[in-house]
Amino acid sequence: MKYLSTRNNNLKESFTNILFQGLSKDGGLYLPESWPLLDINTLRDKSYEEVALNIINPFVANEVSEEDLYEIIISTYKDFSHSKIAPLYKIDNNKYILELFYGPTFAFKDYAMQFLGNLFSHCMQKKTNQLTILGATSGDTGSAAINAFKGKKNINVFILHPHNKVSEVQRKQMTTNLDENIFNVAIEGNFDDCQRIVKELFLDKDIQGKTSLTAINSINWARLMAQIIYYFWAYLQIEDKEVSFIVPSGNFGNVFSAHAAQNMGLPIRKLHIATNENDSLNQIIKHGLMRLKEVKQTYSPSMDIQISSNFERQIFESFGHDSEKVNQIMREYSIKGEYEFDKSIISNLQSIYESTAVSNTNTIETISYYKKKYDYLSDPHTATGLSILKNVDPDHPYISLACAHPAKFNDAVEKATGSKSLTPKELENIFDKKEKMTILNNETEAVKSLILKNL
Ligand SMILES: *Cc1c(COP(=O)(O)O)cnc(C)c1O
């Protein structure tokens, strides 16, 4: 399997090469040159780990042996706190919730990040001896990455989060980690600013000459690859011809993994994107308009994103791997702040995706509705999806993703239901711990010098 870039379709990179990079040098994102097709019938009655092996093996074959890969997968999920790892909860007839918060930091990011941590350690032995991980987080990626990489030899981790714009639990999950290889940076800006700084540093020759910068955001293909697993897993737990998924979205990583599963043969009818009031993705799917907008703070901070990096992967696919065209679109978008897709592209997008923007009020009402009607407590990100699940076609199975544990977002939960969620012990413990972080101006140079000083 070789990998090309959304801005250079002639590239033929190996898996281990793209694993340890972030962006491609041309500024594009990596994608496999073709999609391996899986036969669903061979996956039935298999464990989560065995399904994972079947899905990931074709993407890494020849570079990680099947035995090593299986060992990595087994150790990745052994400490997840549910025997099914990603259990499917039937909440009503034809309505399901795929719960993805049984990893160490209680959000879906653990499912791919824990795998990445183990894969990095394995592949580093052969490849390189010192890594600098650089990532931006709207809240959950940061803690998942810190948990996956803390204390790892020869790996330094720099995580940028928007100052005062993540939940208290999210911040403490990151900053109470005092390991020497972990650096938390709070940026005086929003998530889009953090992500821009990360992208600029990946293209900075000076810093790249001094260290090997590695991405752990969903711009890293390996993250998306490991998220494909639970879409197959969810489908295998329902006996039906076709399913649809509802995916609370921000950076378009999770829902693009679902689309990758579809490309690999999973019978998906529709992928329904839920956004919060930051509705850029909704505008693109509904009207074909990609427009730069200000980020608002909502009850679902991990979705407070207006520039969804992974959408570039979808553009590349919709334009039939025409990387010239992607270059042109991204250039125009960055100069004018907007780009309008033509009708044929809009109908291509709408054949795959549907979308809804969910208001803050609706999010709170939905948490309250599910609590009263089903005694089911959801976090505000999950609730954006559940508000859509309420009104879908009752004759077709829908699976809505539960992206985080409600205790991570107790302010919203309390507002909706009058009381806080029960908090798992691991989260309660962080409240009295010491915090360590550096607050920096919204400037790439400031982050660059902090990294260089601490190499
Ligand atoms: C990251 C995250 C999202 C958004 O996922 P994307 O892959 O960025 O679209 C939604 N909800 C929660 C809880 C998250 O942590």
Side-chain angles (χ1 to χ4, degrees):
M1 178 67 79
K2 294 287 184 230
Y3 290 82
L4 35 72
S5 153
T6 53
R7 301 197 196 179
N8 178 3
N9 59 13
N10 287 318
L11 217 61
K12 284 196 184 302
E13 289 276 6
S14 70
F15 177 76
T16 4
N17 266 345
I18 68 151
L19 177 65
F20 289 114
Q21 295 179 39
L23 292 175
S24 173
K25 284 186 191 64
D26 47 53
L29 283 77
Y30 291 113
L31 273 177
E33 58 184 355
S34 64
W35 297 104
L37 266 183
L38 296 188
D39 176 357
I40 303 281
N41 290 313
T42 63
L43 300 176
R44 291 196 199 278
D45 302 318
K46 290 211 175 347
S47 67
Y48 191 91
E49 289 87 348
E50 288 162 341
V51 171
L53 179 67
N54 277 276
I55 288 168
I56 294 178
N57 199 38
F59 290 112
V60 304
N62 306 328
E63 294 183 67
V64 182
S65 76
E66 191 165 330
E67 285 112 65
D68 287 348
L69 180 60
Y70 195 51
E71 234 171 74
I72 293 169
I73 291 170
I74 293 284
S75 64
T76 294
Y77 298 107
K78 72 176 185 317
D79 292 330
F80 278 51
S81 64
H82 196 289
S83 61
K84 290 218 145 148
I85 299 174
L88 192 68
Y89 182 82
K90 183 170 187 175
I91 195 149
D92 212 331
N93 192 25
N94 265 333
K95 293 182 181 178
Y96 301 87
I97 299 176
L98 178 64
E99 294 185 332
L100 299 170
F101 47 73
Y102 294 99
T105 70
F106 303 93
F108 82 80
K109 304 296 199 294
D110 287 325
Y111 287 73
M113 201 69 84
Q114 289 289 319
F115 172 74
L116 217 60
N118 292 329
L119 187 64
F120 273 22
S121 298
H122 174 84
C123 293
M124 263 176 88
Q125 297 162 6
K126 295 188 267 182
K127 179 86 191 162
T128 156
N129 35 29
Q130 180 70 45
L131 280 188
T132 302
I133 287 177
L134 175 62
T137 183
S138 55
D140 293 325
T141 296
S143 55
I146 288 166
N147 190 288
F149 291 100
K150 67 182 182 206
K152 284 215 195 271
K153 261 212 196 128
N154 302 325
I155 301 184
N156 282 329
V157 182
F158 294 84
I159 299 291
L160 277 48
H161 74 262
H163 189 37
N164 289 331
K165 292 193 173 72
V166 299
S167 85
E168 190 187 3
V169 173
Q170 285 182 315
R171 188 190 76 244
K172 292 215 156 149
Q173 278 186 301
M174 296 190 276
T175 58
T176 57
N177 188 293
L178 303 179
D179 279 274
E180 271 181 17
N181 70 328
I182 303 294
F183 299 87
N184 275 293
V185 186
I187 297 290
E188 306 264 21
N190 58 41
F191 172 77
D192 287 346
D193 295 320
C194 297
Q195 184 157 255
R196 175 184 44 79
I197 292 173
V198 166
K199 284 190 174 174
E200 282 176 10
L201 290 175
F202 272 105
L203 298 175
D204 187 299
K205 292 205 179 71
D206 184 26
I207 196 165
Q208 287 284 17
K210 294 188 172 113
T211 181
S212 154
L213 278 185
T214 296
I216 44 77
N217 277 103
S218 51
I219 56 177
N220 191 318
W221 161 251
R223 278 271 309 280
L224 301 198
M225 173 182 84
Q227 290 171 182
I228 297 170
I229 304 161
Y230 47 72
Y231 289 101
F232 275 91
W233 177 247
Y235 174 82
L236 288 164
Q237 294 174 69
I238 303 180
E239 287 295 325
D240 217 305
K241 282 201 221 57
E242 250 189 350
V243 295
S244 292
F245 287 95
I246 302 170
V247 186
S249 295
N251 221 357
F252 203 74
N254 209 359
V255 75
F256 191 77
S257 293
H259 181 49
Q262 188 176 30
N263 284 335
M264 293 169 74
L266 192 67
I268 293 175
R269 182 187 290 180
K270 211 72 182 206
L271 294 170
H272 201 132
I273 296 168
T275 75
N276 60 23
E277 292 181 8
N278 296 291
D279 69 338
S280 288
L281 284 171
N282 182 49
Q283 294 298 330
I284 297 174
I285 303 301
K286 284 228 166 70
H287 311 295
L289 189 62
M290 183 162 78
R291 181 182 278 163
L292 201 56
K293 294 205 289 190
E294 273 296 301
V295 179
K296 282 189 210 168
Q297 265 183 282
T298 72
Y299 287 117
S300 41
S302 306
M303 293 157 62
D304 288 348
I305 294 172
Q306 292 281 30
I307 305 173
S308 306
S309 287
N310 284 292
F311 196 71
E312 181 168 333
R313 291 188 157 111
Q314 183 57 53
I315 299 174
F316 181 71
E317 198 194 278
S318 291
F319 281 91
H321 288 196
D322 182 349
S323 47
E324 270 309 302
K325 187 73 193 173
V326 175
N327 273 297
Q328 183 216 318
I329 292 170
M330 297 317 286
R331 224 175 6 246
E332 190 173 326
Y333 176 58
S334 81
I335 294 168
K336 288 197 200 152
E338 66 174 55
Y339 182 86
E340 235 183 305
F341 295 101
D342 67 29
K343 284 215 176 62
S344 66
I345 297 298
I346 298 176
S347 67
N348 169 265
L349 292 172
Q350 291 180 350
S351 69
I352 309 165
Y353 305 101
E354 222 173 302
S355 74
T356 305
V358 180
S359 70
N360 255 335
T361 319
N362 192 353
T363 303
I364 296 296
E365 280 168 7
T366 302
I367 297 175
S368 158
Y369 174 89
Y370 277 81
K371 177 71 180 133
K372 283 201 193 107
K373 177 153 189 203
Y374 302 106
D375 197 25
Y376 189 88
L377 190 61
S378 76
D379 93 280
H381 304 77
T382 304
T384 62
L386 296 185
S387 85
I388 297 164
L389 187 70
K390 265 199 309 204
N391 304 316
V392 291
D393 169 9
D395 297 326
H396 169 68
Y398 271 86
I399 301 171
S400 198
L401 268 57
C403 302
H405 192 290
K408 288 189 89 163
F409 305 95
N410 254 328
D411 288 352
V413 168
E414 192 172 15
K415 192 171 166 65
T417 66
S419 54
K420 290 189 186 329
S421 154
L422 283 178
T423 304
K425 243 199 333 294
E426 295 85 344
L427 286 182
E428 227 157 55
N429 290 342
I430 58 178
F431 280 96
D432 345 298
K433 282 197 192 155
K434 232 177 95 183
E435 293 187 66
K436 184 181 85 169
M437 70 175 190
T438 311
I439 303 168
L440 290 183
N441 286 340
N442 181 6
E443 285 162 12
T444 306
E445 278 305 312
V447 179
K448 181 172 163 181
S449 40
L450 179 101
I451 295 175
L452 290 177
K453 212 167 64 197
N454 286 291
L455 278 184

